Each structure stands twice: as structure tokens, then as C-alpha cells.
Amino acid sequence: MSEIVNFRTRSRDEVVDLTGHVRRAVESSRVREGICLIYCPHTTAGIAINEGCDPDVARDLLTVLDGLVPQQGPYRHAEGNTAAHVKAVLCGASQAVAVADGRLQLGQWQSIQFLEFDGPRERRVLVAVMEAGS
Amino acid sequence: MSEIVNFRTRSRDEVVDLTGHVRRAVESSRVREGICLIYCPHTTAGIAINEGCDPDVARDLLTVLDGLVPQQGPYRHAEGNTAAHVKAVLCGASQAVAVADGRLQLGQWQSIQFLEFDGPRERRVLVAVMEAGS
Amino acid sequence: MSEIVNFRTRSRDEVVDLTGHVRRAVESSRVREGICLIYCPHTTAGIAINEGCDPDVARDLLTVLDGLVPQQGPYRHAEGNTAAHVKAVLCGASQAVAVADGRLQLGQWQSIQFLEFDGPRERRVLVAVMEAGS
């Protein structure tokens, strides 16, 4: 029912396009009608559905987030990655997309993006595809 | 299993209440126990669950978002709607609500709102109602 | 299929860890493969998946949110809790986590947190565990 996508990020802030992986997971699941959950099990990264044609949109997103949640606090948490935790909460740990007729119901300009806020790190994303009951 | 709600927004920033549409979609689905996913296939709009009794709450939300993510950058993305993309990511492309005894499990003060950040445009929202397996 | 967790918050801003409650709800549901939706039916509180080992991470989150969305407006909404509504939208009314082999698929450092933005209040959270169809 679920697949794990493993990858390595290369910088502190980075966007990794998962759309192709997720489409293939939906196809190989053979689910016809249901829901696909793309889930990030990390606390310093998130999942977004975002414009994916122009990579500058995601770069602008990272820049805006950096302005909203400064890397240097003052913060209580002493590990130096508080900003990454906060950004992860603001963007969300998962996204859900409907599956109909065996196809992921993404909009024309939508991509599924892994948002790294505390790289470089080894990361994984869970793609769970569930058939609706009947 | 899913319905599409079509509508036209009339200004750049706008809140469209979808609660009635979603309730009717749940009723006509005849799903008794499951999950309802309200999904926005656009990248410059989002879906929120928010207070819906006082329309000023949603107006304040739009104003706060405008302050957090200024319309004028500097941004790399050249189409002039970067702020709309960022707001869409912050609010989310979808919301999920449980269905129990055939009814949407919204809280007393909760409404399901489409948040337009780059109107006016023709928009559509997907309402997918899925029965739990057994 | 669903359980309700009731509790009382004690200050305006507060984080309540729901992870144990949610794990027990998944176990008692006997769902093997599916999805767990943790849903907040209130409009001045939200649900986050966040680092839970160091309580300072959640405290920093509340502080950052307070800086981004000031308690005092100017706001149109006259009840004095506009900031709480906006924070609730930014963090989200629900979180979804996959269930596999009867276990909640949370990452190692992830906790499920109720975020109170307008306490103290009596609160409840809906935990809906749904089996995937087959």
C-alpha cells in the first residue's frame, strides 16, 4: 500500500520535486479510486503542493520563509535548527491528493515538492495510496 | 466519488464559502463513514477551515497574509503572482474532514473556505468523499 | 471508527501532546492499513506534527507565531481573537498520518500536537482511523 522514496539533499534549503515518484507509486498501487498521502517523517522538512514549472517559484518560497522565520533567533531550542522546525509546521508534514480512474488528480501546474529546511541530510518520504471502500 | 464545484472569483483576494457545496456532496455520496477531501487544483489559491460566522475573520486573514507576503517582491518569478503562490503553500491546497453517520464532522463555528489570492479567475474545487473500508 | 479526546487548556497559548492518545486510538481501532486523521473542530486552535522531544521547539513555535501575527491588530473582527484564527489557518485544522501493519507511521522525532491559541478553554479533538478498501 505504501512506498518509501529515499534521497539525499545537498544544501540547507532545497526543493526536491517528488511528482514523478508519486505518480509512479499511484500507478503501481493499481488503486482506482481513493486517496494518496505524501508524508514527511522528518521534523525539519515539509511537503508542499506548489507551482513546479518555474523553479523560481519554489526558490522565492524558500526566501520568503527565511524572511518570516529568521535562522538566528533568539530561540530557546539550542540545536540551531528552530527555524527549520517552524517552517516545517507552517508548510505541513503531508499533502493529500485524490486518486480517480487510477490517476492522481493534480492540477495542471501543481507539483508535489519536498521542502528541505535543515540539509544536507538523508531523507525519506512515505507515499501511501489507499483504495476507497465500497 | 467526487464532485467538482465551479465558480468565478471577482477580485484579487477573495474568500468563497464552500461549506454548503461540501455538505451536499457528502449527502449525495451516501458515504456513511469515511473522509472528505476538499482539494484546490490551482497554485495561486488555497483551502482553509476557518471561522465563517463573521466575514471579518476571513478578511483579516487576507490582510495578515498580505502583510506577511508582500505583493511586490523582490521576487525571481517574473509573472507578478509570487505572493499568491507562497500564500497558497502556507494555507494549503486541501483540507480533510471526517464523515461519520453520513455527516461532515465540522465544528460548530467552522466553515470550509476557498482562498483566492490571484483573481479574478475561473476556479474549480474537487470534493472527494471516500468510504472507509471494512 | 473515531474517538474524541477531551481536555482543558490552561493558558492563552499552549501545546498539548496528543501522540499517546492517537497511538491508543489506532490500536483500539484494529485498523491494519489505512489513514488516521487528527482533527480539531475549533477555529482558534490547530493540529501540528512537530518535534516533541524538546518542549522548547513548540515554545519557540508559539513565540514565532506571536511575532508573525500580533495579538493586537488593527483587525476588523471585534472579538479580540483574530490572531488565534489566523494562526489556526496557518498551522492547519488537521493532520493525517498513514497506518501500516496496525501502527501509526510517525517519524522518530515527530509528535502530534494540539496548538491552543485562545485558551484557556475546554477543547476536543477527533481521531478518525479509517481502513483502506480492498
Side-chain angles (χ1 to χ4, degrees), chain C residues 9 11 17 54 74 89 92 95 119:
Chain C
T9 57
S11 47
D17 192 319
D54 177 2
V89 170
Q95 297 291 334

Side-chain angles (χ1 to χ4, degrees), chain B residues 34 54 57 60 106-107 110 133, chain C residues 39-42 76-77 130-131:
Chain B
D54 177 2
V57 173
D60 284 334
L106 276 184
Q110 289 182 322
Chain C
Y39 187 84
C40 169
H42 309 286
R76 291 167 176 245
H77 182 57
M130 278 161 281
E131 184 85 42

Side-chain angles (χ1 to χ4, degrees), chain A residues 33-35 48-51 54 56-57 59-61 64-65 68 90-91 96-99 105-107 109-110 132-133, chain B residues 1 35 37 39-43 68-69 75-79 82 85-86 89-90 93-94 126 128 130-133:
Chain A
E33 308 287 327
I35 192 169
I49 290 178
N50 191 15
E51 214 271 23
D54 177 2
D56 278 343
V57 173
R59 284 188 205 118
D60 283 335
L61 170 66
V64 170
L65 288 169
L68 292 176
L90 291 178
C91 295
V97 185
V99 175
Q105 300 297 296
L106 277 184
W109 308 107
Q110 289 182 322
Chain B
M1 189 191 87
I35 192 169
L37 183 71
Y39 187 84
C40 169
H42 309 287
T43 58
L68 292 175
V69 190
Y75 297 122
R76 290 166 177 245
H77 181 57
E79 290 180 23
T82 296
H85 290 301
V86 174
V89 170
L90 291 177
S94 73
L126 187 70
M130 278 161 282
E131 184 84 42

Side-chain angles (χ1 to χ4, degrees), chain C residues 42-120:
Chain C
H42 309 286
T43 59
T44 53
I47 307 289
I49 291 179
N50 191 16
E51 214 271 22
C53 294
D54 177 2
D56 279 343
V57 173
R59 285 188 205 117
D60 284 335
L61 170 66
L62 297 179
T63 306
V64 171
L65 288 169
D66 235 21
L68 292 176
V69 191
Q71 191 64 17
Q72 312 300 334
Y75 297 122
R76 291 167 176 245
H77 182 57
E79 290 180 23
N81 59 359
T82 295
H85 291 301
V86 174
K87 292 172 186 177
V89 170
L90 291 178
C91 295
S94 73
Q95 297 291 334
V97 185
V99 175
D101 291 327
R103 294 168 61 96
L104 200 63
Q105 299 298 296
L106 277 184
Q108 182 177 7
W109 308 106
Q110 289 183 321
S111 291
I112 299 164
Q113 299 175 346
F114 178 89
L115 305 177
E116 172 66 84
F117 299 123
D118 193 34

Side-chain angles (χ1 to χ4, degrees), chain B residues 19-30:
Chain B
T19 314
H21 287 285
V22 177
R23 282 196 202 282
R24 285 190 291 277
V26 169
E27 282 167 28
S28 67
S29 75
R30 298 183 182 269

